[in-house]
């Protein structure tokens, strides 16, 4: 059996999963392949990391990544430490030492992908990154290879397991936000800094990667509009449900004639939308291509073994020589990509859920709807319950499709009305 040698840098949640698969006694890799990845060494700075997997004595173990980077027997490095520094330097050094790289580090690719890809091209080596989006779902391969014949019009979905886990717990089990987050951390879903998850930043890193591959364009990652779930109020989840909608944190990339929309934000979806039924740590990504039409990929978006599954798939690609061919053919981050303008959030058009806190007296609805009407925003439905808090009541509206710039102007005007008693909450809707 032919083999190739792998060095794993970072034996945390994902790295330990990769090591377990590579050391597996009845590995399906041996049954399916004529050339398999062999674990040569592991580097982790955390003294407790060694206890995560029972490593055979022949596996080199070190707390210093450089030991693996300088080892001429290692052909491929799996960077699984996360963050920008020193992950970036480790990858650069691995490439310079003539090693291919596999990484799950979406933050690094979103922020420094161009520089890293340039280095890999100069060194004649590859960078593979299937685990960077969608955990165990092979979405990178699908967008890059399987759907290559298509002009992609839209890629949107749930790409963060932690936030979907939290929202599901809040919606279905009435669990408090902080408890649900703590549970997601315990399960190994969350980033080291969980604000990356809950503030939508991790989703925007993933959206940057998907949009660059799917649309064959390059852009500054900071152009992605990003809003997280930390300010979500349970009452909005309940009212939305009454209106027939489910709340999800969506990453949305849409291509129009003139621009691309790139945005991450809490979004209401009709209850019968396929994404509304994606719960817990599961992710799902809908991709629309001109030839294939609508597709949807679904699976566990975070966690040890699903993510390790994607990392090992990349390692196999390197060993079989596929990664090299794919990497050389890919225009992503080449500097030769089409430049398409990115839409400002004020240009987008969606329906909106609005929750006003108003005094309970005649004429309030007329005042608010009058202002909305002046900005060409028409109301599709309204809910007002009798329950009162300090004489104030929530007034919920669902609008028809409107431009966000107009909505923002209308809300600024409505805010000045004496009948408005608290800040107004609005959520975007996708159909
Ligand atoms: P963990 O924090 O669980 O593991 C990282 C490990 O690497 C830790 O043991 C850490 O030690 C160690 N480490 C950090 N810096 C160094 C260094 N300079 N040299 C050697 N070891 C180092 O992270 P995860 O496994 O969860 O995530 C790894 C990567 O995979 C990240 O990029 C993440 O975004 C990505 N990812 C994670 C998923 C998940 O479900 N967890 C899913 C998909 C992608 P210490 O504890 O001391 O920092
Ligand atoms: N923190 C990430 C998530 C890990 O929850 O989706 C997977 O990329």
């Amino acid at each position: 059996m032919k083999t190739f040698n792998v060095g794993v840098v970072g034996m945390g949640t994902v790295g330990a999963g990769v090591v377990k698969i590579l050391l597996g006694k009845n590995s399906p890799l041996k049954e399916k392949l004529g050339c398999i990845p062999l674990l040569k060494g592991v580097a982790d700075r955390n003294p407790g990391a060694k206890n995560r997997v029972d490593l055979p004595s022949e596996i080199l173990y070190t707390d210093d990544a450089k030991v693996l980077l300088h080892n001429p027997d290692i052909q491929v490095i799996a960077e699984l430490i996360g963050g920008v520094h020193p992950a970036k330097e480790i990858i650069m050094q691995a490439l310079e030492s003539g090693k291919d790289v596999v990484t799950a580090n979406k933050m690094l690719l979103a922020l420094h992908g161009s520089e890293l890809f340039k280095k890999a091209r100069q060194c004649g080596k590859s960078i593979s990154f299937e685990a960077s989006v969608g955990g165990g779902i092979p979405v990178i391969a699908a967008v890059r290879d399987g759907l290559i014949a298509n002009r992609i019009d839209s890629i949107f979905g749930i790409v963060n397991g932690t936030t979907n886990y939290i929202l599901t717990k809040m919606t279905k089990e009435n669990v408090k936000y902080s408890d649900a987050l703590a549970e997601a951390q315990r399960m190994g879903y969350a980033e080291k800094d969980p604000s990356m998850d809950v503030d939508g930043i991790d989703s925007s890193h993933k959206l940057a990667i998907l949009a660059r591959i799917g649309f064959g364009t390059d852009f500054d990652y900071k152009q992605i509009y990003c809003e997280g779930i930390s300010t979500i109020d349970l009452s909005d989840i309940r009212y939305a449900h009454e209106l027939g909608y489910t709340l999800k944190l969506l990453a949305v990339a849409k291509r129009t004639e003139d621009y691309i929309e790139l945005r991450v934000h809490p979004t209401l979806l009709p209850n019968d939308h396929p994404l509304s039924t994606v719960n817990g740590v599961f992710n799902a990504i809908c991709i629309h291509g001109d030839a294939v039409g609508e597709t949807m990929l679904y699976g566990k978006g975070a966690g040890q073994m699903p993510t390790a599954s994607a990392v090992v798939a990349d390692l196999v690609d390197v060993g079989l020589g596929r990664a090299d061919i794919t990497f050389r053919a890919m225009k992503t981050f080449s500097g030769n990509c089409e430049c398409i303008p990115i839409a400002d959030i004020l240009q987008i058009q969606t329906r909106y859920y609005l929750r006003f806190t108003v005094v309970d007296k005649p004429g309030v609805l007329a005042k608010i709807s009058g202002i909305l009407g002046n900005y060409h925003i028409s109301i599709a439905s309204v809910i007002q319950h009798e329950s009162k808090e300090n004489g104030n009541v929530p007034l919920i509206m669902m609008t028809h499709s409107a431009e966000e710039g107009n909505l923002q102007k209308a809300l600024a005007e409505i805010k000045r009305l004496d009948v408005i008693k608290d800040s107004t909450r609005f959520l975007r809707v996708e159909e």
Side-chain angles (χ1 to χ4, degrees):
M1 173 82 69
K2 274 175 66 183
T3 57
F4 59 98
N5 292 334
V6 176
V8 170
V9 181
M11 196 165 68
T13 303
V14 180
V18 171
V19 168
K20 283 179 198 167
I21 294 180
L22 295 182
L23 294 178
K25 291 262 177 305
N26 301 314
S27 167
L29 298 175
K30 287 181 198 150
E31 285 166 27
K32 295 183 192 171
L33 299 167
C35 176
I36 58 164
L38 205 67
L39 182 67
K40 189 77 184 170
V42 174
D44 199 300
R45 70 174 181 195
N46 188 324
K50 205 173 178 187
N51 304 326
R52 289 175 188 145
V53 186
D54 197 7
L55 286 177
S57 56
E58 68 269 22
I59 308 293
L60 175 64
Y61 188 86
T62 170
D63 61 1
D64 184 359
K66 285 202 188 76
V67 174
L68 303 189
L69 299 176
H70 294 149
N71 186 324
D73 289 344
I74 291 176
Q75 280 107 43
V76 47
I77 290 287
E79 179 281 301
L80 301 170
I81 65 173
V84 170
H85 302 292
K88 186 178 166 198
E89 291 72 21
I90 287 173
I91 291 180
M92 289 288 196
Q93 277 177 35
L95 295 166
E96 279 167 7
S97 309
K99 302 181 197 313
D100 291 288
V101 169
V102 170
T103 181
N105 196 332
K106 52 269 164 145
M107 179 199 275
L108 185 58
L109 292 176
L111 270 59
H112 299 284
S114 303
E115 208 180 330
L116 291 167
F117 275 45
K118 191 172 166 201
K119 173 62 86 182
R121 288 190 174 99
Q122 280 166 357
C123 297
K125 292 286 136 192
S126 63
I127 301 177
S128 306
F129 49 96
E130 183 59 70
S132 65
V133 185
I137 309 170
V139 61
I140 299 291
V143 177
R144 184 192 58 207
D145 309 332
L147 299 174
I148 192 71
N150 291 266
R151 183 183 194 274
I152 305 285
D153 309 311
S154 67
I155 304 176
F156 72 97
I158 298 163
V159 293
N160 183 271
T162 301
T163 46
N164 204 44
Y165 185 84
I166 295 171
L167 290 175
T168 305
K169 286 272 170 192
M170 286 172 74
T171 307
K172 297 202 178 291
E173 295 170 33
N174 253 334
V175 173
K176 260 176 35 201
Y177 172 88
S178 53
D179 292 346
L181 171 58
E183 220 172 306
Q185 288 180 284
R186 243 189 337 270
M187 305 283 279
Y189 303 152
E191 296 302 304
K192 191 168 218 136
D193 171 4
S195 67
M196 290 290 151
D197 298 291
V198 297
D199 291 343
I201 301 166
D202 177 73
S203 293
S204 65
H205 291 152
K206 291 164 177 167
L207 189 66
I209 294 170
L210 287 177
R212 280 166 181 161
I213 301 174
F215 299 144
T217 181
D218 206 3
F219 49 83
D220 183 350
Y221 152 77
K222 293 193 198 86
Q223 289 176 283
I224 299 177
Y225 177 82
C226 182
E227 230 181 81
I229 62 159
S230 51
T231 58
I232 290 295
D233 194 309
L234 205 51
S235 68
D236 290 315
I237 296 180
R238 295 211 186 101
Y239 293 133
H241 200 71
E242 263 184 66
L243 289 162
Y245 291 85
T246 301
L247 184 82
K248 295 288 179 190
L249 182 69
L250 283 202
V252 180
K254 284 185 188 170
R255 186 178 180 146
T256 69
E257 282 303 309
D258 308 315
Y259 52 68
I260 306 178
E261 289 178 20
L262 294 173
R263 49 192 167 93
V264 171
H265 49 72
T267 310
L268 294 182
L269 292 159
N271 286 339
D272 60 359
H273 192 287
L275 290 176
S276 294
T277 60
V278 175
N279 288 318
V281 72
F282 281 85
N283 283 189
I285 300 130
C286 302
I287 304 159
H288 189 273
D290 61 349
V292 73
E294 200 63 64
T295 61
M296 179 165 148
L297 298 163
Y298 172 81
K300 283 189 179 156
Q304 181 169 83
M305 298 317 289
T307 313
S309 158
V311 173
V312 174
D314 274 350
L315 290 173
V316 166
D317 272 356
V318 173
L320 299 182
R322 284 197 295 238
D324 179 48
I325 297 169
T326 305
F327 192 75
R328 272 192 282 130
M330 234 187 349
K331 263 174 82 179
T332 311
F333 293 128
S334 65
N336 299 322
C337 291
E338 192 185 354
C339 246
I340 313 169
I342 309 298
D344 189 279
I345 191 70
L346 297 178
Q347 288 176 279
I348 72 151
Q349 296 239 357
T350 71
R351 304 179 74 194
Y352 299 91
Y353 160 100
L354 308 172
R355 175 169 55 84
F356 304 100
T357 304
V358 296
V359 289
D360 193 11
K361 68 178 191 190
V364 170
L365 190 57
K367 281 186 182 174
I368 292 174
S369 56
I371 296 176
L372 290 172
N374 292 342
Y375 288 97
H376 317 291
I377 300 161
S378 77
I379 299 162
S381 52
V382 178
I383 315 179
Q384 186 178 344
H385 289 295
E386 283 190 33
S387 65
K388 285 185 193 177
E389 233 175 70
N390 313 323
N392 301 329
V393 288
L395 175 66
I396 320 296
M397 287 182 186
M398 186 63 82
T399 75
H400 287 294
S401 189
E403 200 179 88
E404 181 141 340
N406 282 339
L407 178 81
Q408 299 279 12
K409 284 183 215 156
L411 291 182
E413 208 167 298
I414 290 168
K415 191 178 171 186
R416 294 196 289 273
L417 293 175
D418 59 354
V419 295
I420 297 290
K421 291 300 168 198
D422 203 348
S423 54
T424 296
R425 178 73 202 180
F426 81 91
L427 293 165
R428 300 172 187 89
V429 180
E430 289 288 325
E431 297 298 340

